[in-house]
Amino acid sequence: MIKIYIKKIRQRKNITAIDICRNTGIDKSRLSRIEDINPIYYPTIKELEEIAIYLDVKISDLYASEYK
């Protein structure tokens, strides 16, 4: 199981979900589903890249996996 840390990182940086959506083009409902504790959807590599660029972090900082 992959854990997604996007919400924690953006909250720590005082960035709203709307900010991410406006600057990446990711739909708000999709981002919400990705950020959920038990995500319905996992982000694509492209989405991870766009979010990482906006949050100024490495893609690998956005998730945890034993295979990382």
Side-chain angles (χ1 to χ4, degrees):
M1 168 84 62
I2 295 175
K3 290 188 178 186
I4 305 294
Y5 296 126
I6 295 167
K7 187 174 186 176
K8 283 185 178 185
I9 294 169
R10 74 168 175 77
Q11 287 175 333
R12 190 175 65 232
K13 292 181 172 242
N14 294 316
I15 294 172
T16 67
I18 297 295
D19 292 333
I20 289 178
C21 294
R22 285 183 182 148
N23 289 281
T24 64
I26 298 170
D27 183 73
K28 172 71 172 99
S29 63
R30 178 149 175 85
L31 181 62
S32 178
R33 290 180 184 129
I34 291 169
E35 287 186 337
D36 195 10
I37 293 170
N38 296 308
I40 296 171
Y41 301 109
Y42 286 98
T44 64
I45 296 296
K46 180 68 174 156
E47 289 169 331
L48 284 174
E49 182 179 51
E50 290 170 350
I51 293 168
I53 289 168
Y54 184 72
L55 293 176
D56 194 30
V57 296
K58 293 185 248 177
I59 289 175
S60 60
D61 293 337
L62 298 177
Y63 67 95
S65 169
E66 63 184 87
Y67 301 105
K68 197 159 121 168

